[in-house]
Amino acid sequence: MQTTSPSSWLWRSLAIALLTTLAFLSTPFSNSNNAPALAHAQPPAFTDTPRNRIFFWKVTYSTLAPDGVTRPVILVNEKYPGPKIEVNRGDFVTVIVENALDVPTSFHWHGMTMRDDPWYDGVPGMNQCPIPPGTNFTYAFGTDNVVGTHWWHAHFENQYIDGLVGALIIRDPPATNPFLHAYDEERNIILTDWYHQATGPLLQKYMSPDSNGHEPVPNSGLINGKGVFDCKNVIPADLPCGPSERAAIHVIPNRRYRLRLINTAAAASFLFSIDGHKLLVIEADGTDLNPFMVDSLPINTGQRYSVILVTNQEIANYWMRAEIGMSCLPPGVHNLDPIVLGEVRYAGAGVAPPTSVGRWVPKPPAKGQDAEINPAFVAACEDLDLFALHPLKPVPILEPISNNYDIKISFGKSPEDGILRGLLNGISFNNDAWNPTILQNLNEGATYTVPEHVMRLDRRDAIVQIIIDNSGGGEHPFHLHGHTFQVVAQGVGVYEEGKTPINSINPLRRDTVTAPRDGFAVIRFKVDNPGVWSFHCHIEWHVSTGLVMQFLELPDELRAMGIPKHVGKLCETPAVPGFKAHTGFMPKPAAAAAPGKKPAVAAFANSTISTINH
């Protein structure tokens, strides 16, 4: 295995190793008080010189009832959402992971370009092998080229649905923050859909011919890990259910708050609003925008926005709404209340629940019918108007196009097992998590199988255009690792080069874009970041069915960079013999209780093993 690298990389690797060793000596994982304290430290002060920010994570099984319904979960440091990483641009991030599960895991840093650190992008089968159970692994990456609102999540199997998500904030130093004087305080708002079962039972049904490709429907939604579910509607009825609370944001009158919105859902798109208040949009996926005002904001899975909330209304408590787009979910009758509520509490207003009324009030649904859909939530669950979104720092449209990919999204039944699979240009993605592309690339003559769906980008500074053709299906939010791309076109119908209007003047830059139902999205990026970068739908269930491909970017330059020894060492632990892909997290049944004693907490089966993970 090639492990050589440039001298600068070598010195940095030695520094990482030394810091990791010192950190282990000073803060052992067995001391449970230290890890959460380090992971949840106050926002770092801005310094003249960058710092190495070290975070200690322990991944464990647990149980949780965020909306009142108790279920088994997987957590980092026993937190949901998980520990926030908040650093200053230019800082170096070191995350030391202890995998205390009995199955592998890995982590992806969504929105980070991982320039010069491609082996830490966290995708098993592409840039690393999974972290074996009972071992430690260190991720280490710079933040020189990134700023803004991002997030982290597990990238093995479907573990992030089971609880492995958190905020990743790269703060802009005062000298370069264009909105430094536009707000007084910040708040993070993490939105997610929530399932009352672990992914194992859900995947078992979904990855079968009986599902007809209808992905699991969430049972509720959460804001900052909190929600309220009506226990009368629990299915099955014997699930433990009790009181819970909604998220509350405390504000002071006549102040300005930057709300960093992050959609960490498995499938749901949200429409976010706050009763009685407008929102000034200033950021999308880490790109500062020319500000513009909205009443409500659609945000699809994987996407982030920053908005400024001005607390200039009457002193009272107001509902914060994150409405799930029911038209984006599979049809049918569901026990899901699409209106997810939190509270914005003004100082001096007390703690009584809000009585505010939203801009749209649904009629009570008739028995056996779904709730009425908000007409403000467009039928196709589209992004904000592309032509209204322009970066504050203009960059010309990338041209001329060197590599053009017309990628058709479709679904088809596999002749082998009858399961409906996701296809990109007729290929359903499948690879070996223990034989990553970055490792295969060390062999100059490497060839790849069709299901690995590897697209080579060999010429530096070439301009790549991807036309996401979704003319025959429901909406799909697509995410590209390793890059922030330009969104040059988006709409309903079929994209026609030279005829369809494009956003050619200072086009939006982001990393997750929605191809609307029966429509298209067109993106462009420059080939300048050696690595192996996943391109996939961010509806997590669709990843399991194969809506994934990968770009092998500048393979010769990547090969010359080598692979750090501790990354290559992960591949020395092979997959468990007889593993089956996409089995999900399958808790064991709780042990029977002795008379007069409470039932034991559910144990956990060794079943979360996969060949492709998101």
Side-chain angles (χ1 to χ4, degrees):
M1 179 184 299
Q2 179 180 347
T3 57
T4 58
S5 60
S7 58
S8 60
W9 174 86
L10 177 60
W11 280 110
R12 193 175 71 178
S13 297
L14 291 172
I16 293 168
L18 177 60
L19 284 165
T20 301
T21 302
L22 292 173
F24 269 111
L25 290 174
S26 62
T27 311
F29 280 115
S30 58
N31 186 340
S32 60
N33 293 325
N34 287 332
L38 284 167
H40 291 277
Q42 291 298 313
F46 287 101
T47 58
D48 293 333
T49 56
R51 301 289 182 88
N52 185 17
R53 311 288 182 178
I54 304 175
F55 300 85
F56 296 88
W57 287 6
K58 186 172 183 176
V59 188
T60 60
Y61 297 119
S62 189
T63 55
L64 199 67
D67 63 355
V69 179
T70 301
R71 57 152 289 185
V73 292
I74 310 175
L75 303 179
V76 169
N77 295 349
E78 289 292 321
K79 299 291 184 181
Y80 183 77
K84 175 177 64 176
I85 293 178
E86 186 170 16
V87 303
N88 301 321
R89 181 169 58 84
D91 283 347
F92 201 74
V93 176
T94 300
V95 183
I96 304 169
V97 177
E98 179 188 6
N99 180 11
L101 308 177
D102 57 357
V103 296
T105 192
S106 74
F107 289 93
H108 170 58
W109 320 97
H110 186 120
M112 305 301 292
T113 58
M114 290 311 196
R115 194 171 295 274
D116 301 322
D117 304 302
W119 35 77
Y120 294 128
D121 191 52
V123 185
M126 292 190 190
N127 359 77
Q128 70 166 86
C129 288
I131 305 171
T135 66
N136 304 316
F137 182 74
T138 298
Y139 290 97
F141 51 90
T143 63
D144 290 342
N145 304 297
V146 183
V147 74
T149 308
H150 310 291
W151 62 300
W152 60 263
H153 57 81
H155 218 299
F156 185 79
E157 189 87 343
N158 301 86
Q159 289 174 345
Y160 99 62
I161 305 176
D162 291 306
L164 294 181
V165 300
L168 172 56
I169 310 300
I170 313 297
R171 300 169 72 220
D172 212 355
T176 54
N177 182 355
F179 298 112
L180 178 65
H181 302 294
Y183 56 91
D184 305 298
E185 298 183 50
E186 295 186 19
R187 300 285 189 271
N188 294 333
I189 309 291
I190 295 180
L191 311 175
T192 196
D193 47 20
W194 191 249
Y195 300 78
H196 291 161
Q197 290 180 288
T199 53
L202 298 174
L203 274 170
Q204 189 174 36
K205 181 178 179 180
Y206 179 52
M207 299 295 288
S208 72
D210 296 337
S211 73
N212 290 317
H214 288 165
E215 61 268 13
V217 174
N219 299 105
S220 66
L222 306 176
I223 299 176
N224 286 347
K226 295 182 178 181
V228 174
F229 189 81
D230 186 346
C231 292
K232 296 193 301 293
N233 295 330
V234 172
I235 300 174
D238 60 351
L239 284 177
C241 184
S244 60
E245 61 180 359
R246 294 186 171 93
I249 297 176
H250 298 269
V251 298
I252 297 172
N254 298 312
R255 286 179 73 81
R256 302 159 304 170
Y257 293 84
R258 178 176 185 162
L259 306 182
R260 296 182 182 268
L261 308 176
I262 307 171
N263 186 346
T264 68
S269 178
F270 291 94
L271 185 70
F272 181 85
S273 64
I274 296 174
D275 291 356
H277 296 74
K278 290 183 177 292
L279 304 170
L280 185 69
V281 183
I282 62 169
E283 177 210 353
D285 293 2
T287 297
D288 292 327
L289 301 176
N290 290 320
F292 67 101
M293 198 75 71
V294 297
D295 292 326
S296 56
L297 178 72
I299 177 170
N300 216 331
T301 177
Q303 294 182 333
R304 295 88 64 210
Y305 288 99
S306 281
V307 299
I308 294 178
L309 165 71
V310 181
T311 54
N312 58 2
Q313 299 302 306
E314 178 185 350
I315 295 178
N317 296 330
Y318 297 86
W319 289 120
M320 173 171 49
R321 302 175 186 270
E323 181 185 344
I324 294 176
M326 296 298 289
S327 60
C328 308
L329 300 177
V333 177
H334 313 299
N335 67 335
L336 168 64
D337 183 353
I339 311 251
V340 184
L341 297 175
E343 300 180 21
V344 175
R345 295 181 181 173
Y346 274 60
V351 297
T355 58
S356 62
V357 178
R359 294 178 177 83
W360 174 77
V361 180
K363 298 176 182 177
K367 186 175 181 180
Q369 293 185 355
D370 281 343
E372 187 180 6
I373 295 174
N374 186 343
F377 206 129
V378 292
C381 301
E382 297 171 356
D383 292 340
L384 281 169
D385 180 10
L386 176 63
F387 291 91
L389 296 168
H390 291 286
L392 192 63
K393 181 180 179 180
V395 173
I397 189 170
L398 293 171
E399 54 186 5
I401 299 167
S402 308
N403 302 66
N404 191 72
Y405 298 95
D406 193 339
I407 298 175
K408 173 72 174 177
I409 302 171
S410 63
F411 287 82
K413 282 199 173 184
S414 167
E416 288 82 15
D417 54 22
I419 297 173
L420 197 71
R421 305 279 181 179
L423 307 166
L424 296 179
N425 287 348
I427 299 173
S428 183
F429 182 83
N430 191 21
N431 73 342
D432 181 355
W434 285 267
N435 187 25
T437 306
I438 198 170
L439 183 61
Q440 296 183 59
N441 182 62
L442 294 179
N443 175 6
E444 189 172 356
T447 58
Y448 305 95
T449 65
V450 170
E452 289 178 289
H453 211 161
V454 175
M455 311 299 290
R456 288 177 58 110
L457 301 174
D458 292 289
R459 184 163 68 85
R460 177 169 276 277
D461 295 331
I463 304 303
V464 176
Q465 175 170 280
I466 301 176
I467 302 168
I468 308 171
D469 179 358
N470 189 36
S471 56
E475 57 97 26
H476 295 278
F478 263 78
H479 173 51
L480 176 63
H481 294 213
H483 287 275
T484 296
F485 50 70
Q486 292 182 339
V487 186
V488 300
Q490 191 177 38
V492 176
V494 177
Y495 176 76
E496 296 182 78
E497 193 80 50
K499 294 183 179 180
T500 303
I502 66 171
N503 192 15
S504 60
I505 307 299
N506 188 21
L508 173 64
R509 303 189 299 274
R510 68 184 321 163
D511 58 57
T512 308
V513 66
T514 302
R517 174 178 298 153
D518 299 324
F520 62 86
V522 183
I523 65 174
R524 294 180 187 178
F525 65 93
K526 181 182 288 189
V527 177
D528 60 2
N529 190 14
V532 181
W533 308 120
S534 180
F535 182 59
H536 60 87
C537 176
H538 219 289
I539 294 175
E540 180 68 354
W541 310 108
H542 293 175
V543 171
S544 298
T545 67
L547 285 187
V548 183
M549 60 189 298
Q550 55 182 317
F551 287 96
L552 175 54
E553 185 168 351
L554 301 173
D556 294 338
E557 293 185 35
L558 179 61
R559 186 179 309 112
M561 293 168 70
I563 299 176
K565 288 183 178 180
H566 74 293
V567 176
K569 190 173 178 62
L570 288 174
C571 299
E572 295 177 7
T573 303
V576 176
F579 78 90
K580 183 180 179 182
H582 311 306
T583 55
F585 167 36
M586 186 77 74
K588 293 178 180 177
K597 292 186 177 181
K598 294 182 178 180
V601 175
F604 306 92
N606 183 5
S607 60
T608 313
I609 299 176
S610 171
T611 57
I612 173 59
N613 323 279
H614 171 61

